[in-house]
Amino acid sequence: MTNEQQRLLVFAGSYAEAEENGVYVYAFDEQSGTLTLTDAVADFKNPTFLNVDADRKLLYTISETVNQSGLKVGEAAAFAIDTKEGSLRLINRKETVASTTCHIQRDANSRYLTVTSYHGGMIGLFGITEEGAIGQELDVKQHVGSSQHPERQDRPHPHSSFYSPDGRYLFVSDLGLDRIVTYRLDEADHKLIHHAEISLHPGAGPRHLSFHPNGKFVYVINEVDSTITSFTYDKETGQLTTLATVSTLPSDFDGENSCAEITVSSDGKYVYGSNRGHDSIVVFAIDEQTGALSLVQHISVEGGHPRHFALTPNGNYLLAANRDTNNIVTFKVNKSSGQLTFTGNSVSLSKPVCVIPVYLTM
């Protein structure tokens, strides 16, 4: 940790029409757990997922646009972050893949962006210029196939892409195929090379995943059947091996539910997942020897449809983005027990679906 002064900013993406504010910036007060709006950006349709490069003070977002043929396509935009003002300045925007996108990810060396198209069933690899702008399209991978659920899994639906800790592999959770597809990042040819696949149980619907900080375990949240599947990970071969699957719901809950986000705490002790329908965060303790999960808590998100949440970098707070109640809610984290407590604080904004808290130097 340097002696440079840092500021904790929170970036939020949302469902929005182009003329509405869609990307928001907040200053986060860690004493009180309150959010204060510092900037909001319009002119982007559905900037629903963000990625922040803290070192270079850059923000990347997906959005939707219409191409010359009048078809809906994916778009990405790059912004420079002014830490002191808590504001954004557009660097560039660029069409990405031939269908709307739901997720954006950046490799550890900030050379590449990957965008994921749920409806188009594809992953796109794009360069990042030296200035931090969205660069050229380098590769597109199209998934094919289907799985068990007649409506949700009649075709491929990749939902996210996450890099391995060493950056060699990219893991794509495909909800429509009940598979995690692994690509190797070929930095010489700037391509994604198909490396491996692992199938989950039929009807799972994998959505997002999170690596344990020890690099030995991976946890995947399954949207369709409201479960979390744990895997061991071999960093040499890039292979996943299934360990176990647990429900994210209380045993007495019989309503409609789908899962969304998952994250492992930076100390490796707990995993958090979001339930949409039960409208809760579920907390599990992790056995650091075996990777096994044991239930700690279900807590209301104080809203509806928590499509995304995040822990602050120091792990002291969790912020939940509730799409249907138009609020971001803050929770205090008890690091010894993993349990969450509602701070009483929330901030109102339209249809938030992504929240990224980041320390930035002043």
Side-chain angles (χ1 to χ4, degrees):
M1 199 74 161
T2 67
N3 291 324
E4 293 176 282
Q5 190 178 357
Q6 292 191 311
R7 189 180 195 194
L8 183 53
L9 293 178
V10 175
F11 302 89
S14 65
Y15 281 108
E17 294 301 323
E19 62 272 14
E20 301 170 333
N21 287 331
V23 179
Y24 301 80
V25 188
Y26 296 89
F28 188 67
D29 183 328
E30 293 187 80
Q31 298 303 309
S32 62
T34 55
L35 293 160
T36 303
L37 184 69
T38 59
D39 196 14
V41 177
D43 202 29
F44 295 89
K45 182 176 172 63
N46 293 338
T48 55
F49 215 88
L50 313 174
N51 182 276
V52 178
D53 181 343
D55 293 337
R56 299 175 70 192
K57 299 180 184 174
L58 298 168
L59 178 140
Y60 299 99
T61 181
I62 58 169
S63 62
E64 296 176 17
T65 190
V66 176
N67 67 12
Q68 291 179 325
S69 305
L71 299 173
K72 277 189 191 178
V73 295
E75 183 185 47
F79 294 87
I81 302 167
D82 183 319
T83 308
K84 188 177 179 187
E85 298 296 325
S87 61
L88 299 173
R89 174 182 58 82
L90 180 66
I91 298 172
N92 79 324
R93 59 198 299 172
K94 189 180 182 76
E95 285 184 24
T96 55
V97 293
S99 184
T100 56
T101 52
C102 62
H103 193 265
I104 188 166
Q105 185 60 273
R106 176 177 45 86
D107 77 305
N109 297 321
S110 298
R111 294 180 61 195
Y112 303 104
L113 292 167
T114 48
V115 295
T116 307
S117 174
Y118 178 90
H119 293 293
M122 67 185 90
I123 311 297
L125 181 71
F126 288 79
I128 299 174
T129 71
E130 286 188 12
E131 299 74 34
I134 312 285
Q136 66 186 35
E137 178 186 298
L138 301 170
D139 200 7
V140 175
K141 289 289 184 260
Q142 177 70 53
H143 288 189
V144 294
S146 60
S147 191
Q148 176 177 282
H149 194 288
E151 287 99 33
R152 303 297 314 277
Q153 298 179 314
D154 61 328
R155 60 188 188 275
H157 287 307
H159 217 306
S160 62
S161 66
F162 290 95
Y163 287 92
S164 60
D166 64 9
R168 291 167 62 199
Y169 300 105
L170 182 73
F171 295 86
V172 177
S173 297
D174 196 313
L175 180 150
L177 303 182
D178 282 325
R179 281 184 219 154
I180 300 165
V181 182
T182 308
Y183 294 96
R184 182 171 56 80
L185 183 60
D186 183 339
E187 297 197 35
D189 290 334
H190 310 301
K191 300 290 182 189
L192 294 172
I193 310 298
H194 184 275
H195 179 72
E197 298 187 14
I198 187 167
S199 293
L200 287 91
H201 54 279
R207 178 182 171 105
H208 285 191
L209 63 78
S210 186
F211 274 83
H212 192 281
N214 69 13
K216 297 175 183 175
F217 305 118
V218 173
Y219 298 91
V220 174
I221 197 154
N222 298 312
E223 176 177 332
V224 177
D225 77 347
S226 301
T227 58
I228 292 172
T229 300
S230 51
F231 302 84
T232 55
Y233 175 61
D234 185 327
K235 68 178 183 181
E236 299 306 321
T237 64
Q239 297 287 337
L240 296 170
T241 303
T242 307
L243 278 175
T245 297
V246 297
S247 174
T248 63
L249 294 166
S251 56
D252 60 354
F253 179 77
D254 60 0
E256 292 290 316
N257 189 76
S258 65
C259 289
E261 177 62 346
I262 187 167
T263 195
V264 178
S265 60
S266 58
D267 61 10
K269 292 180 178 178
Y270 301 98
V271 63
Y272 298 83
S274 68
N275 287 306
R276 301 174 296 181
H278 187 247
D279 292 334
S280 64
I281 301 293
V282 62
V283 187
F284 291 96
I286 300 171
D287 184 314
E288 292 194 61
Q289 298 304 310
T290 66
L293 301 182
S294 53
L295 180 65
V296 171
Q297 181 189 27
H298 289 95
I299 184 169
S300 166
V301 290
E302 304 294 331
H305 199 95
R307 191 172 185 266
H308 193 256
F309 67 86
L311 293 165
T312 54
N314 60 17
N316 289 338
Y317 287 93
L318 182 146
L319 289 75
N322 296 319
R323 185 195 70 185
D324 291 357
T325 45
N326 305 304
N327 62 345
I328 295 173
V329 178
T330 62
F331 297 85
K332 196 85 176 76
V333 180
N334 181 323
K335 286 187 176 176
S336 60
S337 70
Q339 290 195 335
L340 304 176
T341 307
F342 176 42
T343 62
N345 298 316
S346 73
V347 64
S348 296
L349 67 163
S350 180
K351 301 186 184 69
V353 289
C354 181
V355 57
I356 312 280
V358 186
Y359 281 119
L360 297 168
T361 54
M362 296 290 275

